[in-house]
Amino acid sequence: MAVVGAGAAGALVAVQLCEAAARRRIALDLVLVDPAPEAGRGVAYATEVPEHRLNVPVGGMSCYPDDPGHFRRWLCRHGESTVTAADFASRYRYGSYLADTLGRAVIAAHGTVSVRRLRTRATGCADAAGGRLALRLADGGTVTADSVVLATGPAAGGAAWAPAELVTSDRFVARPWSPGALDAVGEADDVLLVGTGLTAVDLALVLDRPGRTVHAVSRSGLLPQPHAVAPLPAVPPPPGLAGLPFHRLRRELTRHFAATRRLHGDWRPALDGLRPEIVRLWQGLTDDERAEFLGRDATPWNVHRHRMAPSTAETVARARAARRLRIHAGRIAAAAPGRDGGLVVSLADGRELRVGWVVDCTGPGLRADAGGDPLWSGLLADGLAVPGPLGIGVSTERGRLLDAEGRPERPLFTLGAPRRGELWETTAIPEIRAQAKEVAEAVLAPLTGAPRPVRRRPTDQFGLPLSTHAAAAASFRSGLGRVITVRAKAAEAFARATELDPGFALGHAALALLGHECGADVDVARELADAQRSVRERGDERERSFVDVVARRVTEHDARGAGAGRGAGDGDTALFEHLDRYPGDAFALGIAVPTIAFSGVADLDGSLALGLVERAAPAYEGHWFHTSLLSFVRQEQGRIGEAGELARAALAEEPASGHAVHALAHVHYESGEHGTGRDWLDGWIGNQGRGAVHRAHFSWHVALHELALDDSAAVRRRWFAQLAPGQVNGVRALVDSGSLLWRARMSRNWTGRVPVDGVLDAVARELVERPATAFTALHSAVALTAAGDLPALRRLSTHAAGADAVQREVIVPLCGALEAVLEEEWATAVRGLRGLLPSLRRVGGSAAQREVIEETLLYALVEAGHSDTARDLLEQRLDRRASPLDRRRLAGLSA
């Protein structure tokens, strides 16, 4: 496989070829032919001028059409953590992104795809034996390939507009982007740019300085319009435009633009909404209509369609205001040497401009061979390529070149600018990346063939087949084993599986899920996109269903926190349906049941989770994993004795089962067996629990026993040893560490100020003040109250008022009650907290977690002097379970 050109288009094709070949296990020898020192930059992205910005926002510049956030995430990982999808990155930075993405694709495909770079130019292409193609190289060499992709970018302009005396002048710069092209321009030399498009804008930024005037001339004298500083959503065009005669199409679009401007105050949303329809509309025009568009509308189209970044527009406006940049409408008629060694350029209307240099900024030529490229000239002359509509670019069938007979006979492909005649808009990354994927698919299609029959696929530990080879399956089983026991390093095992088999969909899906719900250090969107690509190419019905479940959970807008309560969505529905068909899918069952590893389904009363677990029982035949989940569900139902028996049975078979341990921790707490529970769980943490993912939560359970035992010193030791920041970070610090401090203070087991500030510092401020779930919001409110941060508590309340129904109806009044606690308005606090107790279950999590609010109510009752009510509440608690702490508090009230 040969790719001619390693700029943006060539890099994008190479990325798609490497990744698709690796997924499909197609051995490929890929040759990149380009003289540039670094792949991915080309002319467009080689400029190191920081003011040279992309003219498409970051959100539109991903290498992958199915992963639009990839470039933004790359920028975040490389030092630009605050960048948004609406920002405009530097062009050089984008070149670095292309080069890095290609490099990673090459490394990931190593062993399946070999890649060579030839630092030379291709000067010709001819037929070779066996239907292959032979590329002639400028260094005298030849590359014979089964397929060739011409990713040569736009053809150079021919400066046909320039008078002969200007073309022959040594003061004329015909190729301004060539290395050193502008080095001879003196500091005080005025410069004339011919053209007022994006190329001229970039050159004006390079040349702008005090003491110099930069002139720019074009027939229209129009500069590109700027992008909006705060872009609006795209507005799609009205239906029924395709097939209209050009005069009617033009009229309908004019009306659409006017209506959009009246409604939104801006024409840009109309043009942005038209973009997906441009190719279809262009291909629906006759050649005469296309010619009419080129003669009448192409200039205003380009001015509005290909826009400047806002910061670029601002810089240009400042230069024009200072008269350092002057724009002229006109046509160059003649040029002559000036007395000072410069040039006198005459415009057709008689005006003269005296400048030191003239720079061609008219942009690329429309013909494929416009710049005299011997490769394209030879292809056209030999009939291996034919001009496109109106002579623009070349004709193709889905990127495959048509020959003189109009047939796509040869494995010869192109993309980007050479397809402009048939597509019109084809030079921007959003279009090129889609074409790159299409070309890669076409190139690899003959090599894919029918799947080879296998006698037996490897399986997971529950007997479900896996669409991969034995080595990757072994790594997947290791990861699944760690998931179902709630142990660490599951992501590392799944990553190893995808390294061994890049086309293993379940491995990618597992990584996406762990990153999304468990905070694993993976690129969630990228892994999800890989899972979806892979399962389409190689996956059975169960695997496709599982990937769909993961995709829906990841992409649902109601992001989840640990143990979050939320409304059922498409992800839950898909998960229910998947488990109905495949009840033995342990990974899916573990996702569904909200024990400790995943957030589970939208389940407020336990019935949904119980139904899922009970229906799955026949598929597991008493396996410890299923028994562990059932034990947790039983304790949620209040069937404490049965839950304890099930948990102990599961642990007898698998002592590391985190689900069973978690269930038994709740059993001990709700049974009032605090000494037994403390000792047993503390011992487990120090032994089988060493590799547990959620050790902090298990430590929190031990600390609850110590609180119930009224052991202040033990609580402090536990917190500093196992729950302090550094030991615990992120949402776990908020939920476990922060809530424990507040409970210790409310029970008077922690005197003085609690060290909650460190907890808040260990959690992203966005998570604290703008949590996605009511469960997280409850713990944010508690931590902010513990810190005495009344303004932040009010900001949280404001956020909750505009969030989901549970936050509006539970968290907002909770914040109000906690404000009263901070302001020591105890009667108000008591009324608010008592009114909330019946609705707390809606926030999700366990009763033990939600009990922090009841502890706060007890404290407020005592402070408000409501001893009788506090006594009643304590007696009710003691009826449920024994607690030395509650007995001590009750005795204190009686005294």
Side-chain angles (χ1 to χ4, degrees):
M1 181 67 53
V3 176
V4 179
L12 291 172
V13 169
V15 166
Q16 292 288 344
L17 286 171
C18 286
E19 295 186 354
R23 287 196 305 271
R24 302 172 194 181
R25 292 179 250 171
I26 297 172
L28 197 67
D29 180 14
L30 180 60
V31 182
L32 304 180
V33 182
D34 192 294
E38 184 179 8
R41 293 200 179 277
V43 173
Y45 308 117
T47 171
E48 297 185 37
V49 178
E51 290 82 9
H52 283 171
R53 297 271 155 182
L54 298 172
N55 61 315
V56 174
V58 164
M61 294 296 287
S62 166
C63 286
Y64 302 98
D66 54 355
D67 184 6
H70 189 258
F71 179 40
R72 188 192 67 80
R73 298 195 307 276
W74 184 90
L75 288 169
C76 289
R77 291 195 305 272
H78 290 80
E80 299 185 40
S81 58
T82 61
V83 71
T84 71
D87 290 334
F88 292 81
S90 74
R91 296 229 300 270
Y92 190 82
R93 196 73 164 142
Y94 187 70
S96 300
Y97 162 69
L98 288 174
D100 184 61
T101 303
L102 175 57
R104 290 175 181 273
V106 170
I107 293 169
H110 179 70
T112 303
V113 181
S114 64
V115 181
R116 292 180 289 148
R117 281 276 322 272
L118 301 181
R119 297 276 301 279
T120 184
R121 296 184 182 279
T123 57
C125 181
D127 290 324
R132 306 177 84 202
L133 294 164
L135 286 172
R136 294 189 303 277
L137 307 180
D139 62 6
T142 301
V143 172
T144 302
D146 294 291
S147 298
V148 172
V149 179
L150 304 176
T152 52
W161 55 268
E165 60 270 24
L166 180 58
V167 173
T168 57
S169 171
D170 59 3
R171 293 284 180 143
F172 178 59
V173 181
R175 301 282 188 269
W177 296 116
S178 299
L182 301 175
D183 288 354
V185 178
E187 289 291 318
D189 291 349
D190 291 346
V191 180
L192 171 62
L193 309 177
V194 182
T196 57
L198 291 171
T199 300
V201 168
D202 284 341
L203 267 296
L205 297 180
V206 171
L207 294 166
D208 180 37
R209 66 201 58 198
R212 170 186 290 161
T213 301
V214 177
H215 300 272
V217 62
S218 69
R219 296 193 180 210
S220 67
L222 296 175
L223 286 170
Q225 289 288 312
H227 281 278
V229 175
L232 293 166
V235 176
L241 296 180
L244 289 179
F246 182 60
H247 70 280
R248 288 187 56 196
L249 174 64
R250 194 175 190 279
R251 185 170 63 243
E252 291 300 320
L253 288 178
T254 300
R255 290 173 177 170
H256 173 55
F257 276 65
T260 301
R261 186 164 191 169
R262 285 195 301 272
L263 184 62
H264 297 284
D266 198 329
W267 50 266
R268 294 172 183 84
L271 188 53
D272 295 340
L274 185 63
R275 186 168 182 170
E277 303 296 323
I278 291 171
V279 170
R280 192 159 61 97
L281 295 177
W282 176 258
Q283 292 180 337
L285 301 179
T286 66
D287 278 357
D288 287 343
E289 290 172 329
R290 290 170 180 164
E292 181 183 351
F293 170 82
L294 292 176
R296 179 180 181 183
D297 299 298
T299 294
W301 171 266
N302 288 329
V303 165
H304 291 80
R305 165 67 184 84
H306 301 286
R307 305 195 282 269
M308 293 184 282
S311 61
T312 301
E314 184 179 344
T315 302
V316 168
R318 286 199 300 267
R320 293 188 72 181
R323 304 287 289 167
R324 296 194 307 272
L325 174 61
R326 302 182 185 183
I327 308 299
H328 309 274
R331 180 175 59 82
I332 293 179
R339 288 192 301 272
D340 57 356
L343 291 168
V344 178
V345 178
S346 301
L347 303 184
D349 61 4
R351 286 177 293 164
E352 289 186 346
L353 299 172
R354 297 180 180 275
V355 295
W357 299 82
V358 176
V359 182
D360 185 0
C361 299
T362 55
L366 293 179
R367 292 180 54 86
D369 57 348
D373 184 345
L375 174 61
W376 282 108
S377 297
L379 287 169
L380 291 163
D382 295 342
L384 273 67
V386 292
L390 304 181
I392 301 172
V394 293
S395 292
T396 75
E397 184 177 285
R398 300 178 67 86
R400 190 165 185 161
L401 267 67
L402 302 180
D403 61 17
E405 304 298 324
R407 299 174 300 184
E409 290 292 311
R410 293 168 181 80
L412 185 58
F413 302 83
T414 193
L415 73 163
R419 299 185 66 187
R420 193 172 185 192
E422 62 183 16
L423 303 178
W424 182 242
E425 285 294 339
T426 180
T427 57
I429 292 297
E431 284 77 31
I432 294 174
R433 68 190 180 195
Q435 294 174 30
K437 183 177 181 181
E438 184 179 47
V439 166
E441 292 290 333
V443 166
L444 295 176
L447 308 177
T448 303
R452 289 175 293 181
V454 292
R455 292 184 180 179
R456 185 182 177 208
R457 285 187 293 165
T459 66
D460 67 13
Q461 45 267 69
F462 296 91
L464 296 179
L466 302 172
S467 295
T468 188
H469 52 69
S475 289
F476 182 84
R477 284 192 295 271
S478 174
L480 180 57
R482 292 178 177 277
V483 166
I484 64 176
T485 52
V486 200
R487 299 184 72 76
K489 299 192 180 298
E492 289 84 343
F494 292 131
R496 178 59 178 160
T498 59
E499 288 170 8
L500 292 167
D501 180 3
F504 183 23
L506 288 189
H508 291 296
L511 284 170
L513 188 68
L514 292 179
H516 174 64
E517 296 209 15
C518 304
D521 185 18
V522 299
D523 187 338
V524 173
R526 180 81 182 115
E527 294 297 339
L528 179 59
D530 282 339
Q532 292 171 316
R533 295 177 195 130
S534 300
V535 84
R536 285 194 297 268
E537 297 170 358
R538 172 165 46 94
D540 63 20
E541 186 57 38
R542 177 188 72 90
E543 291 166 323
R544 285 192 289 273
S545 177
F546 183 83
V547 170
D548 181 59
V549 166
V550 174
R552 289 172 186 267
R553 290 178 75 83
V554 168
T555 55
E556 276 183 353
H557 293 302
D558 51 340
R560 308 169 190 188
R566 55 189 177 81
D570 289 343
D572 286 345
T573 302
L575 184 54
F576 295 150
E577 293 173 352
H578 178 85
L579 284 168
D580 281 341
R581 293 194 301 270
Y582 311 105
D585 190 333
F587 207 148
L589 188 61
I591 295 169
V593 181
T595 60
I596 188 171
F598 298 100
S599 61
V601 296
D603 181 25
L604 303 180
D605 58 9
S607 61
L608 292 177
L610 174 63
L612 290 173
V613 174
E614 289 186 334
R615 286 197 300 275
Y620 292 92
E621 299 179 339
H623 190 279
W624 62 263
F625 169 65
H626 182 269
T627 304
S628 299
L629 297 184
L630 185 59
S631 68
F632 192 86
V633 172
R634 291 293 186 231
Q635 66 82 27
E636 283 287 294
Q637 294 178 294
R639 295 160 65 171
I640 302 301
E642 186 180 350
E645 291 176 6
L646 289 168
R648 292 182 182 93
L651 289 167
E653 189 175 346
E654 175 50 77
S657 174
H659 295 295
V661 170
H662 194 206
L664 193 54
H666 279 276
V667 166
H668 284 141
Y669 186 73
E670 298 300 336
S671 302
E673 298 173 352
H674 300 300
T676 301
R678 175 200 59 198
D679 296 342
W680 176 81
L681 188 51
D682 200 23
W684 184 86
I685 290 172
N687 292 288
Q688 291 93 345
R690 288 182 181 276
V693 174
H694 298 290
R695 288 187 76 218
H697 190 62
F698 294 127
S699 295
W700 175 82
H701 271 284
V702 180
L704 282 195
H705 287 308
E706 292 167 337
L707 267 180
L709 292 167
D710 212 16
D711 190 343
S712 302
V715 171
R716 282 177 173 267
R717 287 195 301 270
R718 182 76 52 186
W719 195 88
F720 283 111
Q722 297 176 354
L723 290 163
Q727 304 285 336
V728 190
N729 294 296
V731 71
R732 277 266 76 101
L734 195 66
V735 171
D736 294 329
S737 306
S739 69
L740 178 66
L741 287 174
W742 183 244
R743 288 171 80 132
R745 180 176 166 188
M746 292 296 95
S747 63
R748 306 184 194 278
N749 271 290
W750 198 300
T751 56
R753 181 176 175 81
V754 293
V756 74
D757 291 338
V759 172
L760 291 170
D761 290 342
V763 186
R765 205 65 186 175
E766 179 80 3
L767 183 66
V768 175
E769 295 188 12
R770 301 183 61 81
T773 66
F775 179 82
T776 306
L778 181 147
H779 287 87
S780 294
V782 166
L784 292 171
T785 305
D789 194 341
L790 187 58
L793 188 62
R794 287 172 175 163
R795 289 193 295 271
L796 173 63
S797 181
T798 300
H799 161 74
D804 59 82
V806 180
Q807 292 208 48
R808 291 195 305 272
E809 295 165 15
V810 180
I811 302 305
V812 171
L814 173 63
C815 289
L818 293 177
E819 282 186 36
V821 169
L822 285 178
E823 292 172 340
E824 299 186 357
E825 296 177 357
W826 300 113
T828 302
V830 165
R831 284 195 301 272
L833 293 168
R834 287 185 71 178
L836 280 170
L837 289 184
S839 60
L840 280 181
R841 193 177 184 89
R842 297 177 63 195
V843 306
S846 68
Q849 289 171 313
R850 298 189 299 268
E851 200 175 64
V852 66
I853 304 304
E854 189 177 83
E855 291 286 347
T856 310
L857 173 59
L858 266 172
Y859 186 90
L861 285 167
V862 173
E863 293 297 317
H866 297 174
S867 299
D868 291 343
T869 307
R871 186 181 299 109
D872 291 342
L873 182 55
L874 285 167
E875 287 174 347
Q876 292 170 20
R877 285 160 59 107
L878 287 166
D879 286 342
R880 293 200 310 267
R881 62 171 176 264
S883 166
L885 170 63
D886 286 349
R887 285 199 300 270
R888 186 258 295 170
R889 289 194 283 195
L890 185 60
L893 286 173
S894 300

